[in-house]
Amino acid sequence: MKASYRRDQLVTKVRDKEIRSDLYTTTLSGTRIPKVCLPDYADWGEIVRWSMLENAPGCFPYTAGVFPFKRAEEDPKRQFAGEGSPERTNRRFHYLCQDDDAKRLSTAFDSVTLYGEDPDYPPDIYGKVGESGVSICTVNDMKKLFAGFDLCAPNTSVSITINGPAPMMLAFFFNAAIDQQVDLFREKNGREPSGEEYGDIRACTIQTVRGTVQADILKEDQGQNTCIFSTEFALKMMGDMQQYFIEHKVRNYYSVSISGYHIAEAGANPVSQLAFTLSNGFTFVEYYLSRGMDIDDFAPNLSYFFSNGLDPEYTVIGRVARRIWAVVMREKYSANDRSQKLKYHIQTSGRSLHAQEMDFNDIRTTLQALMAIYDNCNSLHTNAYDEAVTTPTEESVRRAMAIQMIITKEFGLAKNENSLQGSFIIEELTDLVEEAVLCEFERIDQRGGVLGAMETQYQRSKIQDESMLYEHRKHNGELPIVGVNTFRNPRADEEGYQVPGDLARATKEEKEQQIRNLRAFQELNSDKAPAELMRLRETAIDGGNIFAELMETVKVASLGQISHALFEVGGRYRRNM
């Protein structure tokens, strides 16, 4: 192994495709920096111990990373965006991807969309249309959102951050991608595709598109609260999505992003975030197995999403997650190598952004991004400094993108891809956090597993206790936060808040246009929608695959129409008291 890493290049295989990777980067001083450094152990015991606990990146237990090397042609940058109308967010997407070979997009939706409703005039809806996210209620909106992007290009990847209405939103996205390919066929051949040709286009498209849909309903109950369907019905639809992926050979798209970010934002410390998120992941595994799916058919379609704060435990969150997942997948479920690889996205901590001395937020975000890149995250979003008070402006987003681009393109040590390995404190922290996570697993198990613990609100209570501890120590100064409770600006007012001149808000014209577009769509399909919605309800009642039916329903029905049709069958969410 050591000899192979001393060559100029190393050949690795990914899905039977040979990839040649340069093993050294030469600095301006002429120093050859190795991409991967291996230890100089001579003792067999040390070698065995290192191989079992650490190993090289791309080797079990994947502590250092699930791939031998990072993608040379694709940075981990995946910036989250969504505001106002689909057209406005589309412009922001193009801005974020300007000059990038890889188009890695991540979509934020407004709260009306997150709760499965259509834009409308009642004040509790109208005021939220297009605020803090994009308004999407029809398949036409989805087409506008990604106009100008080739959704089937190998370097395009789309993340959809939505949970309760995830099946509907994913069906919107798949249909938008299919229609995009049909348009290309029409332009090339000057005619409509035949039934067989359309079927081939449809199959090829959903097998080609890359990205992930969040869909994680367990963390919604535990932390974020945007639940709309009963938990059982939401799990049923998640299972239907994964079953559809298996039957239609969808390999490049993740059916769920098991999320710890929102658990951390609700107040959980890094250990609880990791323990709750992994335990949720294993709950999905057990549920899918109970439906008769094979572990190696669905485990590669699972991804993760974590927050990175400034606590020391965040330094090793990826290392611990990868090691626990790999060991359990191999030893408990006898899963193959591909299923053992835990892939995850990191977003720097929104909770660590403060309205006081907002410029300091970029410093916090830089350190959090550096930890994520050192820990070999698979994709990364860096928060803008002004997100404490507004949807980011173009200026603040440019600075946020520059943070991770300067790290990946300018920072010298980042040219090495396993710089955390071999550090005494990193190894000690990894073991400490792994032990703490396993102890939390036992506490959850004693309460009847994840679903049993949720019935008594165990996770929510623990998150609230940890949030209270953080707020208490921030308030009394035991937890120093520069510019907030220490080293305060003597020239600022009593609270020290900075409010930027421009706050990003959806305009009245955008809200009105969304409502007009929705009603035009509903009017156009008024003769087809009732029959399709009835067919959807019957499929749900009969225990059929709801997602497969949604692929047809979304062509003629809006998000709100579909949600209300499914409420009649699956019921609305009600929290256990």
Side-chain angles (χ1 to χ4, degrees):
M1 181 188 275
K2 287 172 71 173
S4 68
Y5 278 96
R6 290 196 187 104
R7 300 173 191 148
D8 289 334
Q9 284 191 331
L10 187 68
V11 179
T12 54
K13 277 193 173 185
V14 176
R15 294 198 194 174
D16 301 323
K17 178 183 172 184
E18 280 196 354
I19 298 176
R20 294 184 176 274
S21 304
D22 292 330
L23 289 176
Y24 291 90
T25 302
T26 304
T27 70
L28 291 173
S29 305
T31 308
R32 277 161 52 89
I33 306 296
K35 273 196 177 177
V36 172
C37 280
L38 299 184
D40 287 327
Y41 296 142
D43 179 78
W44 281 109
E46 289 294 335
I47 293 170
V48 169
R49 178 179 174 79
W50 182 83
S51 299
M52 292 180 70
L53 291 177
E54 291 280 339
N55 218 335
C59 300
F60 184 88
Y62 307 106
T63 307
V66 293
F67 299 115
F69 302 101
K70 295 178 180 179
R71 284 175 178 257
E73 74 285 0
E74 192 169 319
D75 285 336
K77 179 165 71 75
R78 185 195 290 279
Q79 289 296 107
F80 194 39
E83 54 183 333
S85 65
E87 293 89 347
R88 181 170 160 192
T89 299
N90 177 263
R91 291 193 293 273
R92 175 59 64 90
F93 280 155
H94 282 283
Y95 176 75
L96 292 172
C97 294
Q98 189 177 341
D99 301 326
D100 284 347
D101 292 330
K103 312 300 182 186
R104 294 162 68 97
L105 312 174
S106 182
T107 315
F109 297 95
D110 66 7
S111 60
V112 178
T113 307
L114 291 175
Y115 282 98
E117 297 293 341
D118 288 333
D120 206 346
Y121 285 108
D124 62 328
I125 292 179
Y126 187 84
K128 298 172 185 174
V129 175
E131 302 292 356
S132 302
V134 63
S135 171
I136 300 291
C137 58
T138 67
V139 68
N140 291 344
D141 285 342
M142 191 66 79
K143 292 176 186 178
K144 295 172 189 172
L145 184 63
F146 297 112
F149 293 102
D150 182 356
L151 298 178
C152 284
N155 60 350
T156 300
S157 174
V158 173
S159 173
I160 302 174
T161 306
I162 200 159
N163 297 282
M168 293 85 95
M169 207 55 58
L170 183 60
F172 283 158
F173 174 74
F174 278 175
N175 274 284
I178 293 165
D179 288 351
Q180 188 183 78
Q181 296 305 304
V182 169
D183 290 342
L184 292 173
F185 178 94
R186 196 181 292 118
E187 288 175 22
K188 182 179 179 181
N189 298 283
R191 63 178 177 84
E192 295 293 326
S194 66
E196 183 177 347
E197 287 169 333
Y198 177 82
D200 291 342
I201 292 171
R202 176 187 170 112
C204 181
T205 300
I206 62 175
Q207 290 170 18
T208 302
V209 289
R210 291 177 58 209
T212 183
V213 60
Q214 197 164 101
D216 177 3
I217 205 62
L218 297 181
K219 70 98 172 79
E220 288 298 321
D221 185 283
Q222 296 165 17
Q224 196 179 22
N225 302 322
T226 53
C227 302
I228 60 174
F229 300 112
S230 67
T231 303
E232 292 80 3
F233 191 68
L235 279 171
K236 148 79 174 156
M237 289 199 290
M238 287 179 66
D240 287 351
M241 288 164 60
Q242 182 57 63
Q243 190 70 54
Y244 184 91
F245 277 33
I246 293 170
E247 291 171 359
H248 292 81
K249 299 181 174 59
V250 180
R251 285 167 56 95
N252 294 332
Y253 210 90
Y254 295 102
S255 67
V256 55
S257 177
I258 304 153
S259 304
Y261 185 85
H262 313 88
I263 291 171
E265 290 293 285
N269 65 39
V271 170
S272 293
Q273 178 198 181
L274 184 53
F276 290 165
T277 309
L278 284 175
S279 60
N280 289 347
F282 290 128
T283 302
F284 291 129
V285 168
E286 289 289 337
Y287 173 59
Y288 293 168
L289 288 172
S290 75
R291 288 187 48 157
M293 303 180 208
D294 184 88
I295 187 75
D296 293 326
D297 285 341
F298 68 80
N301 287 118
L302 307 179
S303 66
Y304 280 85
F305 174 25
F306 297 116
S307 170
N308 248 21
L310 291 172
D311 304 58
E313 295 90 347
Y314 284 117
T315 314
V316 298
I317 197 168
R319 289 167 52 82
V320 175
R322 285 188 293 258
R323 191 155 83 186
I324 290 176
W325 182 261
V327 170
V328 173
M329 284 290 116
R330 189 177 81 169
E331 303 302 332
K332 178 173 173 57
Y333 297 112
S334 302
N336 64 22
D337 292 352
R338 191 159 173 256
S339 300
Q340 294 165 20
K341 297 177 179 180
L342 181 146
K343 279 89 73 180
Y344 71 100
H345 171 76
I346 283 282
Q347 181 173 341
T348 57
S349 171
R351 191 165 175 250
S352 70
L353 304 178
H354 298 281
Q356 302 101 314
E357 299 277 7
M358 277 201 299
D359 288 350
F360 293 0
N361 289 334
D362 275 345
I363 301 168
R364 298 182 179 99
T365 296
T366 301
L367 296 170
Q368 293 161 4
L370 185 64
M371 284 196 290
I373 289 169
Y374 272 3
D375 203 9
N376 269 340
C377 68
N378 301 99
S379 69
L380 172 64
H381 165 93
T382 35
N383 289 330
Y385 72 92
D386 56 359
E387 284 187 65
V389 294
T390 182
T391 301
T393 61
E394 281 196 2
E395 179 268 337
S396 66
V397 162
R398 183 169 174 79
R399 284 171 57 170
M401 289 193 295
I403 286 171
Q404 55 177 301
M405 292 175 74
I406 289 169
I407 294 171
T408 56
K409 299 186 183 304
E410 296 185 36
F411 188 60
L413 192 56
K415 304 300 180 188
N416 171 266
E417 296 182 5
N418 71 330
S419 50
L420 293 185
Q421 287 193 295
S423 161
F424 297 140
I425 181 57
I426 293 298
E427 291 178 358
E428 179 76 7
L429 255 181
T430 303
D431 292 343
L432 287 171
V433 173
E434 183 179 39
E435 177 69 17
V437 168
L438 296 177
C439 288
E440 184 59 49
F441 281 0
E442 290 188 341
R443 287 191 284 273
I444 292 171
D445 187 57
Q446 290 163 3
R447 289 162 173 80
V450 167
L451 297 174
M454 282 166 59
E455 289 185 3
T456 58
Q457 299 197 34
Y458 169 72
Q459 292 95 330
R460 290 180 68 83
S461 298
K462 198 165 193 298
I463 290 167
Q464 288 166 4
D465 288 346
E466 291 167 3
S467 179
M468 183 63 73
L469 178 66
Y470 168 84
E471 295 295 339
H472 179 71
R473 291 191 176 177
K474 182 174 77 170
H475 185 72
N476 66 19
E478 287 182 50
L479 181 69
I481 298 175
V482 175
V484 177
N485 61 14
T486 185
F487 193 61
R488 296 179 63 173
N489 188 342
R491 290 189 294 275
D493 60 27
E494 185 177 344
E495 293 295 334
Y497 292 113
Q498 296 171 248
V499 179
D502 294 323
L503 297 179
R505 296 290 184 266
T507 65
K508 181 180 179 183
E509 291 74 22
E510 286 176 321
K511 295 174 188 285
E512 295 286 344
Q513 185 63 49
Q514 279 301 97
I515 295 173
R516 284 197 300 270
N517 290 344
L518 166 70
R519 297 193 173 168
F521 177 86
Q522 290 175 337
E523 179 66 27
L524 180 66
N525 296 290
S526 59
D527 57 334
K528 302 172 188 170
E532 286 294 340
L533 291 168
M534 179 60 71
R535 191 174 296 115
L536 177 66
R537 282 191 290 265
E538 289 171 353
T539 299
I541 291 168
D542 294 339
N545 191 304
I546 296 171
F547 184 73
E549 191 60 45
L550 277 172
M551 286 291 289
E552 299 302 317
T553 315
V554 297
K555 296 176 182 178
V556 297
S558 68
L559 176 62
Q561 289 175 315
I562 295 170
S563 296
H564 285 269
L566 291 175
F567 287 150
E568 295 175 23
V569 180
R572 291 179 182 264
Y573 175 81
R574 291 184 66 187
R575 186 174 305 287
N576 288 318
M577 299 301 290

